Each structure stands twice: as structure tokens, then as C-alpha cells.
Amino acid sequence: MGTETVAAHLLTIAPTRRELGGLDSHREGQRASVVGMGRAAGGRLTALLEEAPCRLMVSLGYSGALDPNLRTGDLVVSTAYLHGAEPPISGGPLATRAAVLLRESGLSVQEGPVLTVDEPLLSPRAKRRARHGSGALVVDMEGRWIAEAAAVKGVPLIGIRAVLDEARFPLPAFVADIVADSERREWAHAVRAMCNPSAFGSFLPLALKSRGASRALQMAMKNIIAVFPDQL
């Protein structure tokens, strides 16, 4: 996971280094850590919090849009974390404050529920079904497990998801291979997939979307860091 485990006012986590956005984990009073994808993210976060507590946590990550009005780079601040038929976990009282702050900074931000799934939703049809079944704005693969770990430890959580793929955008099949491999050989899967002409055509658009989502997350954290830690 790759960061010092010292007590901090603010802990920022993300599934991958790309989503973490190069945050400096050595700034006074702050930590940043990669926790991985899926259910394992919750266990890794629990271990982090047991080693060193924090007073506030921000969870960053990419998401797929379920709301057809959302575009790449739009931000969603989670008001609830959903998974299947399980009872939702509240996004907590800081969600609205964070959303207002980010809007005032000029970012495109919505508040709403985030759906966590066990496998990526690759097709527009799968996204439509998830939207109708949950009412969530976006989908990810770790938000619920992170929220659960934070709730058990009593740590206030702000969950921020940047839209990567719009509701109408089909993800290439190699995304599922990358997720199944916990992103350990991301480029190997991508290169192998690009040998398939149909996959090659979707790689560049997805890479560009990744850059847009990353920029949005970086701007969001710039504003969060400037305001929230001083209020704790």
C-alpha cells in the first residue's frame, strides 16, 4: 500500500495510484494510501486504521455513470453506499458540505447514492439495469466496503467519485480481465487486447476519459485539502 502509517488528521485513499493522483503522503497531518479494488479494499483500510488512526477520510476513485446525464469528469459525492439488497450505509453529514465546497470551486458535482458491484458493468444495458434497480448515480467496485470499514472505526468519510465512462459508453472486455487480476498486470492485459482490432478502437477513448477523470479528482482534493483539515 506504500505509505507511512502515522496518525493524521486526513487520510486519503483510492483503489490505484492513478486515482490517488500523486498526493504527497508526507505532508504534515496527512496520509495517502492505495487500498486496491473490490472487497479487499475494506480489509486493507481496516488494517491501515488499526495501525494509525485519522480524524477524517476521503475516498477517491473512478466510477461508471448510471445516470445518463453524467459526463466524463463529473464528480459525485456519495450520500449513500449501496450493494445489492443490503441496507445502505449513509454518506454521513460531511457529504453536503463537501459537495457545496466543490461546486463553489467551479467543478461539476452532484450528490447521490453510489452502487458497489462485484464485477464491472461493461455494457450500456447492464448500466441501465443497475440504474433502474438501485437509483444510484454511479457505480464502483469498492465504495461500500470502504464505507463499512470507516463506519466500524467511527471515522467520518467523504466519498468522491469521478465519472470515467458515461452510461452509454461500452467498456472493452479487457477491463474485466484487469479487474480480475487486481490491476497487477494492467498494461499486459491492455497490450494483449489491442491485438484485437475491435478492442484497439476503444483503448484511446478510454485512456482520454481516464485523464479527464483524474484531473477532476485532483482538483477536488486540492479544494478539500485547503478547507477540511483546518476545520478538524
Side-chain angles (χ1 to χ4, degrees), residues 57-137:
M57 183 164 54
V58 176
S59 169
L60 302 176
Y62 298 152
S63 63
L66 300 182
D67 182 338
N69 296 312
L70 290 172
R71 297 291 178 264
T72 297
D74 287 347
L75 297 172
V76 172
V77 178
S78 181
T79 58
Y81 300 90
L82 313 177
H83 180 262
E86 298 177 54
I89 296 176
S90 171
L94 296 179
T96 295
R97 288 173 58 192
V100 169
L101 167 67
L102 296 177
R103 287 193 196 100
E104 289 176 346
S105 70
L107 296 170
S108 177
V109 181
Q110 291 196 38
E111 300 169 68
V114 172
L115 174 66
T116 296
V117 295
D118 299 320
E119 296 180 354
L121 305 183
L122 301 181
S123 70
R125 180 181 180 185
K127 296 175 189 178
R128 285 195 301 270
R129 292 179 63 182
R131 168 72 168 168
H132 294 153
S134 68
L137 296 182

Side-chain angles (χ1 to χ4, degrees), residues 139-227:
V139 60
D140 72 6
M141 298 193 66
E142 62 285 320
R144 167 74 184 210
W145 317 122
I146 288 169
E148 191 170 80
V152 168
K153 294 297 183 180
V155 178
L157 171 66
I158 300 172
I160 303 173
R161 292 294 178 267
V163 172
L164 175 65
D165 49 301
E166 299 98 333
R168 300 180 185 86
F169 183 83
L171 289 172
F174 71 78
V175 170
D177 296 330
I178 292 172
V179 170
D181 199 24
S182 301
E183 298 206 359
R184 285 188 294 267
R185 295 177 296 169
E186 179 178 354
W187 282 104
H189 289 297
V191 169
R192 184 165 59 250
M194 283 190 292
C195 295
N196 182 331
S198 63
F200 181 81
S202 62
F203 181 78
L204 180 58
L206 189 61
L208 294 174
K209 289 178 184 296
S210 174
R211 292 181 61 183
S214 293
R215 284 195 298 269
L217 290 175
Q218 290 167 4
M219 290 300 298
M221 275 312 298
K222 179 180 179 180
N223 287 277
I224 292 292
I225 288 173
V227 174

